[in-house]
Structures are given as structure tokens and as C-alpha cells.
Amino acid sequence: MYPGNGHHEKSPIPEPLQYPAQGTQFHQSIPNQSVPNGSIPGQWTTGICDCCEDPCHSCITWCFPCVTFGQIAEVLDQGTTSCGAAGCLYYLMGSIGCICLYASGYRAKLRSQYQLQEAPCNDCLVHWCCTACALCQEYRELRNRGVDPSLGWQGNVAKWNRGATAAPVVAQAMTR
């Protein structure tokens, strides 16, 4: 983009999404909380091996990783991919041994959304070494930033819209 040429090209670096001002409705995008309390900018809010922070969800992920992956994918794709479709594709990719390639794309999308570092190593390698740990960390990251993957995309949008407050109504002055 060149200043003053009258053409406005889209920047290759996406702008971070922000919560709308109070009194407005949410648009169809993932709100980008700055940094959750106690977290360092650019770093994950939990470690790759912190699965015990949410033992119930960790058990679900270990037994049914396609469910957790589907929930994450639906939210990151902002509802354009359903949880069921993403979960089935995840299962099929696993049957041919390509889970790490497919799942690492969504990890990269999550990192891009929140400007997170690629840690502890390359996204594909993280999913290759321990897919369940990677999925649990991604799920916790979304949850810690105000997105509940278990609600799906539409459920989160409804939750965010309920959280937005309407402008106060001013009563008309009384006249005789």
C-alpha cells in the first residue's frame, strides 16, 4: 500500500479483533481479549502439559479427540465449518495418518488470532508428538480468552450478544 495513491489494498497482516463498545451488538467475529489477567502478551495462558487444569475435558479429549477438534475448528472458522464436519474430517485424516497436518493448521490459526508464539515447537510437531495435549491446550486458550468452544459458534455469538448492553432509555418529560 502506497500513501496517497488513492488505492486501499488490504494489509497482509490482519488487525486484531476487539470487543465492541458497550451498547453495540457483536458482529460475526471472535472477540480478541487483550491478555487474560496474569498472562504475558504473546504467550499461551497454559502450558502444553497442563491438562490437569480441566480433567473432565482432558478425559473427553483423550477418548474422543475428534469432538474437541470439531469444537475448536467450528469456533476458529466462525461457524463456516460445523463441529460434526470438522470432527469427521479429523477422524478420516487420522485413519490415513495425517492428523498432525490437518490439526496444525488450526493451531496456527489460533496462534495468529491471539498473536501467540509457536511453542514449545513447530505446530505440526506439537500435534505429531501429542495431539491430545495440543487440543487440550488450544481448547483452554479459547476458554481463557472468553470463547467457550463447547457452545459452538452460534452459541458464543448469542452469549456475546447477551453480554452487550443496550443504551439506557430516557423517559419523555411530562407535559400537561
Side-chain angles (χ1 to χ4, degrees):
M1 174 165 68
Y2 296 91
N5 70 354
H7 293 89
H8 297 288
E9 297 178 18
K10 192 170 185 178
S11 171
I13 302 172
E15 294 293 319
L17 301 170
Q18 299 294 325
Y19 283 112
Q22 257 190 341
T24 61
Q25 292 292 312
F26 283 89
H27 49 81
Q28 297 283 324
S29 62
I30 300 172
N32 187 9
Q33 245 184 6
S34 53
V35 178
N37 291 337
S39 296
I40 300 168
Q43 296 210 359
W44 294 82
T45 57
T46 62
I48 191 80
C49 296
D50 290 340
C51 296
C52 291
E53 285 190 11
D54 187 355
C56 181
H57 186 262
S58 295
C59 289
I60 292 169
T61 302
W62 278 96
C63 295
F64 307 105
C66 53
V67 171
T68 298
F69 178 79
Q71 292 172 339
I72 293 168
E74 180 179 347
V75 169
L76 291 177
D77 284 344
Q78 300 179 3
T80 59
T81 303
S82 73
C83 175
C88 287
L89 191 52
Y90 180 87
Y91 179 79
L92 291 174
M93 295 297 277
S95 67
I96 60 171
C98 295
I99 286 178
C100 60
L101 297 174
Y102 181 50
S104 66
Y106 281 93
R107 186 174 179 88
K109 190 181 258 191
L110 176 69
R111 282 189 317 93
S112 174
Q113 172 69 34
Y114 295 112
Q115 293 85 36
L116 299 170
Q117 60 182 310
E118 192 171 23
C121 55
N122 176 282
D123 294 333
C124 189
L125 192 55
V126 170
H127 273 278
W128 185 73
C129 290
C130 189
T131 292
C133 292
L135 290 173
C136 285
Q137 183 186 34
E138 294 160 16
Y139 187 95
R140 286 190 311 271
E141 191 67 33
L142 285 169
R143 195 188 60 226
N144 291 345
R145 293 182 181 265
V147 180
D148 185 353
S150 67
L151 296 177
W153 177 248
Q154 292 302 322
N156 276 290
V157 169
K159 178 180 85 170
W160 298 325
N161 283 336
R162 279 192 307 269
T165 57
V169 176
V170 180
Q172 295 283 336
M174 289 181 58
T175 59
R176 282 192 146 195

